[in-house]
Amino acid sequence: MIKLYILERKSWIAFILFTHIVILFIAYVDSSIPLQSYLYIVFLVTIFFSLFVIFRYFKETKFYKQLSETEISNLIEEVQPTSSFEKIVKEKLEEQEVQLKSLITKQKSMLEQEQDELLSWVHEVKTPLTSLHLLIERIEDTQLKSQLTYEWLRVHLLLDQQIHQKRITFIENDLFMEKVNLQQTIHQEIKFLQSWCFQKGIGFDLDLKEADVISDGKWLGFIIRQLLTNAVKYSRHDDIFIKSDLYDGHIRLIISDKGQGIDVKDLPRIFEKGFTSTTNHQNHQSTGMGLYLTKKAADSLHINVKVRSKVEAGTTVVLTFPKRNEFTLIRSK
């Protein structure tokens, strides 16, 4: 503290010392001025100045110490509650925060458990559903067989959608990017829907100029299945056109139907969860989940989805796949 005090007033001390030296130098040079008298005066002034500095040191440092203690106490008061009421509020907030964290952890655990149980139930249901399909295949009555196959297919598609709805939250952990043959995947999905297509008199017109894409086979199959299901569901005795081409370095898969179409005002909302058509709002077959899940899965695969539609004229869905040199972006995430 003494060193700091002297350093802060070094200009004053230097000025006094310089003044004394100048006076003594003048007295030494000028013989008419008595040097001993000036030495005595300088000595007295130096003593008085030293006493003054010591006095001011004790007085000022006491003030600075009180000021520092006040600042520290004010800082402590700002950090800590200044009243018992604030202490109670702080304790309650901390208690509620702990309870909230515990509740969130518990709810998360319950949701994960419910999801596991639901997936387990769906897989268990698929076993008797497969057996039921084998029994339906043995039915000789063609009309009855067709009707039962259609109802079986509806249940199967709903279960499949439910499984993927639960898995899509963790889709990033489930992706396996590889070369996927579009023709093979599309034929597999068409074959799955063939009984429904026969019943409605719907055919397919394929023109696949580009056969292979880099994607996840399982999730790409799910996307195509949802789009073909929608196309078959809303078409009436017309062919569904499926083609692939190369546009601006990107492979595109285009699925077009001549079904009932989508109203222009509904197009911005078709990918929203649970949204169903406002023009056909009484259609209980629509769950509003198919296109929502399609968009979620497509985004994870970096596939751009665009829909063009007109009421009573049909719908066209364009899937644009990433370029091959963009594949590294998918693998790095």
Side-chain angles (χ1 to χ4, degrees), residues 268-287:
R269 300 183 59 192
I270 59 175
F271 295 119
E272 293 180 6
K273 186 176 182 179
F275 176 76
T276 56
S277 172
T278 56
T279 55
N280 244 350
H281 206 60
Q282 301 302 321
N283 186 1
H284 298 293
Q285 293 184 0
S286 179
T287 61

Side-chain angles (χ1 to χ4, degrees), residues 54-67:
I54 294 171
F55 172 75
R56 294 300 302 175
Y57 166 76
F58 285 107
K59 187 172 183 179
E60 291 182 16
T61 52
K62 182 179 180 181
F63 170 75
Y64 288 137
K65 287 180 180 179
Q66 290 176 351
L67 183 62

Side-chain angles (χ1 to χ4, degrees), residues 49-268:
F49 179 72
S50 300
L51 293 174
F52 173 76
V53 169
I54 294 171
F55 172 75
R56 294 300 302 175
Y57 166 76
F58 285 107
K59 187 172 183 179
E60 291 182 16
T61 52
K62 182 179 180 181
F63 170 75
Y64 288 137
K65 287 180 180 179
Q66 290 176 351
L67 183 62
S68 300
E69 291 175 357
T70 305
E71 289 178 351
I72 293 172
S73 62
N74 290 337
L75 182 62
I76 293 173
E77 288 178 356
E78 289 178 2
V79 174
Q80 295 181 351
T82 57
S83 66
S84 58
F85 174 75
E86 291 183 0
K87 290 181 180 179
I88 294 172
V89 171
K90 183 180 179 182
E91 290 175 358
K92 287 294 181 182
L93 288 174
E94 290 176 350
E95 183 180 345
Q96 289 179 2
E97 184 180 359
V98 172
Q99 292 177 352
L100 183 60
K101 288 181 179 179
S102 175
L103 182 61
I104 291 173
T105 304
K106 185 177 180 181
Q107 291 291 337
K108 185 178 179 181
S109 177
M110 290 176 62
L111 286 173
E112 290 177 352
Q113 184 178 353
E114 289 178 2
Q115 178 173 318
D116 292 341
E117 290 175 354
L118 180 59
L119 287 174
S120 176
W121 178 82
V122 170
H123 283 292
E124 289 179 4
V125 170
K126 289 183 70 174
T127 302
L129 200 62
T130 304
S131 302
L132 180 61
H133 186 258
L134 294 175
L135 292 174
I136 292 173
E137 289 294 322
R138 298 179 184 178
I139 297 176
E140 296 180 358
D141 189 330
T142 306
Q143 185 176 359
L144 177 61
K145 181 178 180 180
S146 176
Q147 292 175 352
L148 289 175
T149 302
Y150 170 67
E151 296 300 332
W152 173 88
L153 183 62
R154 285 180 59 192
V155 175
H156 190 278
L157 289 173
L158 288 172
L159 284 174
D160 179 71
Q161 193 177 88
Q162 188 67 37
I163 289 175
H164 285 84
Q165 181 182 347
K166 294 300 179 184
R167 285 178 175 170
I168 207 161
T169 309
F170 311 101
I171 185 173
E172 303 296 338
N173 301 327
D174 191 40
L175 294 180
F176 178 70
M177 309 307 293
E178 59 183 345
K179 183 190 291 185
V180 179
N181 186 274
L182 282 177
Q183 185 171 359
Q184 183 179 351
T185 303
I186 292 170
H187 281 173
Q188 183 178 347
E189 298 304 328
I190 290 175
K191 184 178 180 181
F192 182 73
L193 298 172
Q194 67 180 357
S195 60
W196 191 11
C197 295
F198 288 154
Q199 186 181 18
K200 296 193 68 173
I202 294 174
F204 292 90
D205 186 353
L206 272 65
D207 180 19
L208 302 177
K209 295 178 182 178
E210 296 291 332
D212 297 322
V213 294
I214 302 296
S215 190
D216 181 279
K218 180 174 65 177
W219 282 100
L220 179 59
F222 171 75
I223 291 171
I224 294 174
R225 189 181 316 136
Q226 296 304 307
L227 297 177
L228 292 181
T229 300
N230 277 357
V232 173
K233 184 187 297 183
Y234 299 113
S235 294
R236 298 182 295 271
H237 306 289
D238 290 306
D239 286 349
I240 295 172
F241 299 90
I242 305 174
K243 69 176 183 178
S244 65
D245 60 14
L246 189 65
Y247 179 79
D248 193 24
H250 294 269
I251 296 176
R252 300 189 307 174
L253 178 65
I254 304 168
I255 302 175
S256 301
D257 64 67
K258 295 182 180 179
Q260 68 184 38
I262 304 170
D263 199 317
V264 176
K265 68 176 182 293
D266 290 341
L267 281 175

